[in-house]
Amino acid sequence: MARYGAGHKQATRRRMIETAGRRFKSDGIDGSGIATLVADAGLTNGAFYGHFSSKDDLVAAVVTDQLDAQVALLDSLPAESGVEAFIRDYVSAAHRDDPAAGCPSAALLDEIGRCDGAIRQAYTAGVRSVIAAIARHLDDGDDHTSPAEERAIGLVGLLVGSLQLARALEDRQLSDRVLAAAHANALRLVAPAGRRPTTDQESA
């Protein structure tokens, strides 16, 4: 019988987390059974339990991985224009139309709120890191009236809620308007004191 090293096991676990992340975000946590999840990764049910103790264990790992990736993205963005670029991409039509490749919060928030404590703890830790990463971009050292972390919390809520709303609407034109309004309001929220950005609508 072939024996696989630690590198193979780690690669298999990584593949499972990545494919499960896409499946959860497209079909939902409750709508994704273990049989489907292991098939996506090219594994068997028996192999699954060699990496995760339960489906909830996998969900917690996926949530942690997805939010860690979001933090890494934010940290890689340029200090001056990074948040603006993040906002533009987040409330884009492309993000709205491809939940499987997008933010775990917008795709899974309602289900995570009903999950067990371990999953919610993993999500809470990840969101704290996302907020901190955004706040690092917003902290200009002279923000006494609206601390960077409070603005970051407001931005996360605005972006996630707006994307969820835009995805739920059957009216495509209204959905587009929700995204446009979210973009304009998010830029106002992150603008340094005394600098209110001009939106496309205002400059037209």
Side-chain angles (χ1 to χ4, degrees):
M1 179 181 295
R3 296 182 62 86
Y4 298 106
H8 175 83
K9 185 172 183 179
Q10 185 61 32
T12 301
R13 178 182 172 87
R14 159 60 37 196
R15 185 168 74 252
M16 185 77 219
I17 289 173
E18 290 177 351
T19 57
R22 293 188 62 86
R23 177 66 68 175
F24 287 148
K25 289 185 292 182
S26 63
D27 294 356
I29 295 171
D30 289 342
S32 305
I34 289 179
T36 298
L37 294 169
V38 297
D40 286 345
L43 301 176
T44 64
N45 282 25
F48 173 87
Y49 290 105
H51 296 275
F52 304 98
S53 61
S54 64
K55 179 180 170 182
D56 283 353
D57 186 25
L58 172 60
V59 173
V62 166
V63 166
T64 297
D65 181 72
Q66 293 268 319
L67 292 173
D68 283 351
Q70 202 165 61
V71 170
L73 170 63
L74 284 160
D75 285 344
S76 73
L77 296 173
E80 293 299 319
S81 58
V83 173
E84 288 85 352
F86 179 75
I87 290 169
R88 182 184 63 249
D89 291 342
Y90 196 99
V91 292
S92 66
H95 189 191
R96 175 194 59 197
D97 298 341
D98 190 10
C103 174
S105 295
L108 300 173
L109 195 59
D110 57 336
E111 289 189 272
I112 290 173
R114 297 191 296 269
C115 286
D116 69 10
I119 294 171
R120 294 177 67 183
Q121 287 173 10
Y123 181 73
T124 300
V127 169
R128 287 185 188 277
S129 295
V130 170
I131 289 169
I134 294 174
R136 287 193 288 273
H137 281 278
L138 300 182
D139 188 3
D140 57 9
D142 188 28
D143 194 13
H144 303 296
T145 59
S146 182
E149 188 169 273
E150 297 304 312
R151 292 161 64 203
I153 291 171
L155 180 63
V156 169
L158 171 62
L159 295 180
V160 172
S162 297
L163 189 59
Q164 288 181 313
L165 176 59
R167 284 176 175 166
L169 294 171
E170 181 68 18
D171 184 331
R172 177 77 174 209
Q173 184 176 22
L174 180 57
S175 179
D176 289 341
R177 290 175 62 194
V178 168
L179 295 180
H183 181 254
N185 289 322
L187 290 182
R188 292 187 182 97
L189 180 62
V190 303
R195 182 172 69 82
R196 179 175 179 272
T198 300
T199 68
D200 293 340
Q201 288 181 338
E202 291 170 332
S203 61

